[in-house]
Amino acid sequence: MEALEEDSSSLLQVRVRPATLNDRSAVVKILRESFTGSYRYWAIRDMDETLVLVAEVNGRMAGVAEVYTTRVDGYGKVGVVYFLAVKKEYRGMGIGKRLVLEAEEFFRRERCMYSAASTVESNKASQGLFSSLGYSLFRERDRVYWDLVEALSAYEDDVIMVKKL
């Protein structure tokens, strides 16, 4: 599952791989810097229940994605991007995109039909990232929204993004 790619625009070496036990403190540090309140609590608490992917840039940890698979009525097996965090100094460099694309590859290997994520309505950067990768956006008023909220451990005021794999 390891991916190594050179970004020609900035000559950054980006490597995405599953986290190891030795990565735990660095992963927790990124999650603490990126989230507050209950989001921080659940991101750190559920690390042992998810597959944690890390992105390294030139050998330094730059971002983290927590992912898992679940079943959803009407959707079958769904891959969930549970938490996605990129250190501030690496934002806007395509690190989040690389993490999501690697998560999608994992979901395909796991025979998921869809990939899904949720975020707060105000997080336009996250919504823009997922939209640019072909995800459809659903809000509370959309019927399909409620089918996915529980499976994604989302909050009632989150937006849900889904992509057919």
Side-chain angles (χ1 to χ4, degrees):
M1 171 189 287
E2 189 171 304
L4 179 63
E5 185 176 303
E6 191 169 306
D7 181 335
S8 61
S9 64
S10 59
L11 297 176
L12 294 177
Q13 291 248 337
V14 180
R15 176 181 179 218
V16 177
R17 62 173 176 77
T20 66
L21 286 176
N22 291 337
D23 296 319
R24 187 171 182 85
S25 62
V27 168
V28 168
K29 184 176 180 185
I30 291 174
L31 295 174
R32 285 187 189 282
E33 292 171 357
S34 300
F35 298 107
T36 60
S38 61
Y39 292 102
R40 177 187 292 163
Y41 171 80
W42 288 109
I44 294 168
R45 180 187 179 271
D46 288 347
M47 282 176 50
D48 296 329
E49 308 298 321
T50 61
L51 170 64
V52 179
L53 300 174
V54 296
E56 296 176 327
V57 174
N58 299 331
R60 299 187 66 191
M61 193 175 301
V64 174
E66 287 186 61
V67 303
Y68 64 88
T69 64
T70 189
R71 293 210 170 271
V72 179
D73 287 343
Y75 290 87
K77 194 169 185 183
V78 175
V80 176
V81 179
Y82 187 40
F83 285 99
L84 180 66
V86 176
K87 291 177 84 170
K88 285 182 182 180
E89 61 264 34
Y90 293 103
R91 291 181 186 163
M93 296 181 182
I95 306 302
K97 179 179 180 179
R98 289 288 310 285
L99 284 161
V100 173
L101 291 173
E102 190 66 28
E104 289 176 3
E105 286 303 313
F106 167 72
F107 299 152
R108 285 184 186 93
R109 287 191 301 275
E110 293 292 313
R111 294 180 165 57
C112 294
M113 300 297 296
Y114 294 88
S115 177
S118 66
T119 191
V120 294
E121 178 90 34
S122 62
N123 190 340
K124 300 304 181 192
S126 181
Q127 292 173 44
L129 167 64
F130 284 96
S131 293
S132 76
L133 293 172
Y135 286 71
S136 298
L137 184 68
F138 298 98
R139 290 184 171 82
E140 185 177 351
R141 64 184 171 271
D142 298 309
R143 180 197 58 79
V144 72
Y145 174 87
W146 292 107
D147 296 337
L148 294 163
V149 167
E150 186 174 342
L152 273 67
S153 298
Y155 292 99
E156 305 82 40
D157 55 350
D158 285 350
V159 294
I160 306 280
M161 293 151 292
V162 178
K163 176 181 179 179
K164 185 163 178 41
L165 297 174

